[in-house]
Amino acid sequence: LADVQAGISIWQDVPNPDVVLACMGDTPTVESLAAFKILQTIMPQLKVRLVNVIDTGKLGGRTDSLDADSYRRIFTDDKPVVFVSHTYRNLIRALTADRPNSHQYIVKGYCENGAITTGFDMRVMNEIDRFHIVKDVLK
């Protein structure tokens, strides 16, 4: 309940992470958790901070968005961020454009492909499946 009320929370915190893995939405969250587990198995020395975003507005653009210090505490000033979302990629890019370190964001999300297909295919086509996420974190 506290996570929902806050709109954003750190699910796995590590001091001075190597990378931040942020997720938003049901399928991106499931896939990010699976990617996180894979990363823990194959590279236990990699320090990954796992962040869950429930309220997109906390990223920016509203009066109740995160202030600069809170944003830095969650996403850091200088670490890569892999952001996996169920929204259009440009929405996340627009909300984070004026934030610190936005040039190091890899944003994965919905992109129009013009076809109806299976849920699995949609994950792979939009590169929000666990294997694409692992690849982006390792890059």
Side-chain angles (χ1 to χ4, degrees):
L1 183 58
D3 286 358
V4 173
Q5 290 173 336
I8 189 168
S9 58
I10 298 173
W11 280 3
Q12 179 70 34
D13 199 4
V14 291
N16 195 26
D18 297 314
V19 64
V20 176
L21 175 56
C23 53
M24 182 174 70
D26 56 351
T27 297
T29 299
V30 168
E31 292 299 314
S32 294
L33 287 169
F36 181 78
K37 287 291 191 189
I38 291 168
L39 290 163
Q40 285 182 318
T41 301
I42 65 171
M43 291 192 71
Q45 72 280 11
L46 183 68
K47 295 186 286 184
V48 180
R49 177 176 292 162
L50 183 61
V51 175
N52 182 253
V53 178
I54 295 171
D55 182 354
T56 313
K58 292 297 181 178
L59 299 174
R62 293 192 331 212
T63 57
D64 67 338
S65 298
L66 292 173
D67 61 50
D69 289 337
S70 297
Y71 194 90
R72 283 185 178 99
R73 189 175 66 252
I74 294 171
F75 292 103
T76 78
D77 277 327
D78 59 350
K79 302 301 179 189
V81 176
V82 176
F83 200 112
V84 186
S85 169
H86 65 287
T87 65
Y88 285 97
R89 298 171 188 206
N90 286 340
L91 172 64
I92 302 304
R93 287 189 182 107
L95 292 172
T96 59
D98 293 333
R99 295 295 195 163
N101 200 33
S102 62
H103 67 284
Q104 287 205 73
Y105 276 49
I106 296 172
V107 180
K108 298 293 182 177
Y110 184 72
C111 54
E112 184 64 53
N113 291 311
I116 297 173
T117 185
T118 67
F120 175 78
D121 282 347
M122 287 300 291
R123 288 183 191 119
V124 173
M125 287 180 356
N126 290 300
E127 298 179 357
I128 64 168
D129 62 285
R130 60 197 71 185
F131 304 109
H132 276 96
I133 296 168
V134 167
K135 183 180 86 173
D136 288 330
V137 167
L138 294 176
K139 281 194 329 194

